[in-house]
Amino acid sequence: FSREELKSSYERFSVPSNTVVTVVGDMDAGKVKERIGEIFGKIPARDPDTPEVAQEQPLNAVREKIVRIPRAKAHLAIGFRGTTLSDEDRYPLEVLNNILAGQGGRLFTNLRDKESLAYTVTSFDRPGLDPGSVVLYMACDVSKVDRALPGLMKQIELVRQKPLDEPELQRSITNLVGTHLIALQSSWSRAENTALNTLYGLGYNYDKEYIKKIKEVKAEDVLRVARK
């Protein structure tokens, strides 16, 4: 793309009504506001020219895509429609994803450690302003695909069959809360979180709300979203 296209995109979206400025740390709030006014105050006030993007509709059938390339490794991904950032189902879904993902998660423990089916296996949850996605991913030998794919599907079925036991649930909640707090240790990360949470309509102090909601998740909530 050209310089002109880059410049016009910047001017299209970088307008005051589409902007959040956050400052975190030991400061003189009055001087900071004054300085922000000096830097940004002359930008003309107008609404952003945002494009209309059609929302992805829920699937009514399984879609499968296989790409064959001459490599020793196979990559498997199974995706499901996820939640929005403001959906109450987001919290039990994050707990469920935490139970599946990571080196202590069910996918790693069962499919890599016990069955030796994968180099890498994990899951991730990506909420968005529109419904995001929940994905299970595995990298394995091509010769193991016929066992690896059913192995992934089995783990999905297990979380749909019965509620989590309380120790596993609480470990996941503690891990999510701890990881979230650790991620907010720097002023930079606090500023970024505050800006994005404000921009997404969640509120500048949403971090406290997030932790509260995660702590309230019950085993039956996780089972419900797994089946949904």
Side-chain angles (χ1 to χ4, degrees):
F1 54 85
S2 68
R3 175 188 180 279
E4 289 70 27
E5 288 170 323
L6 182 61
K7 183 173 180 289
S8 66
S9 292
Y10 172 78
E11 291 171 345
R12 181 180 181 185
F13 294 105
S14 296
V15 298
S17 60
N18 197 38
T19 302
V20 175
V21 178
T22 56
V23 184
V24 172
D26 185 10
M27 77 192 96
D28 182 320
K31 288 182 179 179
V32 170
K33 288 176 70 176
E34 183 180 334
R35 184 66 180 135
I36 289 171
E38 291 171 0
I39 297 170
F40 298 105
K42 294 179 182 178
I43 301 175
R46 61 183 175 83
D47 291 329
D49 177 22
T50 51
E52 288 292 327
V53 180
Q55 192 173 109
E56 183 78 14
Q57 295 302 307
L59 298 177
N60 53 22
V62 174
R63 287 187 201 159
E64 186 178 78
K65 178 73 173 177
I66 299 174
V67 179
R68 300 191 185 279
I69 54 175
R71 297 288 185 273
K73 211 184 287 185
H75 300 270
L76 310 177
I78 303 172
F80 300 92
R81 184 183 177 90
T83 68
T84 63
L85 288 163
S86 58
D87 192 326
E88 289 295 313
D89 283 348
R90 172 187 177 181
Y91 309 103
L93 196 55
E94 289 200 23
V95 172
L96 173 60
N97 177 69
N98 186 266
I99 284 165
L100 293 172
Q103 290 202 358
R106 288 189 181 188
L107 298 179
F108 192 94
T109 300
N110 290 295
L111 300 178
R112 190 180 186 277
D113 282 358
K114 293 182 180 178
E115 298 187 48
S116 300
L117 290 176
Y119 299 110
T120 302
V121 60
T122 189
S123 66
F124 53 88
D125 170 38
R126 297 285 187 271
L129 293 175
D130 286 340
S133 58
V134 181
V135 178
L136 285 76
Y137 167 78
M138 177 188 278
C140 65
D141 288 330
V142 174
S143 61
K144 295 183 178 180
V145 168
D146 289 344
R147 287 189 294 141
L149 184 57
L152 273 177
M153 298 305 295
K154 178 183 177 182
Q155 293 304 314
I156 294 170
E157 202 53 46
L158 286 173
V159 294
R160 287 166 45 85
Q161 286 176 0
K162 62 178 183 177
L164 307 172
D165 60 44
E166 194 61 25
E168 187 176 33
L169 174 69
Q170 291 307 318
R171 277 197 305 273
S172 178
I173 289 173
T174 301
N175 181 259
L176 281 170
V177 171
T179 301
H180 190 79
L181 290 172
I182 289 169
L184 295 176
Q185 286 184 322
S186 71
S187 294
W188 179 87
S189 59
R190 284 182 179 272
E192 181 187 38
N193 248 36
T194 301
L196 292 176
N197 289 337
T198 303
L199 201 59
Y200 296 156
L202 299 170
Y204 75 92
N205 59 347
Y206 171 71
D207 287 311
K208 291 181 180 178
E209 178 72 7
Y210 171 83
I211 290 171
K212 175 176 174 289
K213 293 284 189 180
I214 290 292
K215 286 182 175 180
E216 291 173 348
V217 171
K218 302 289 188 292
E220 54 265 31
D221 300 323
V222 178
L223 182 64
R224 177 179 55 78
V225 297
R227 291 174 173 174
K228 184 177 179 180

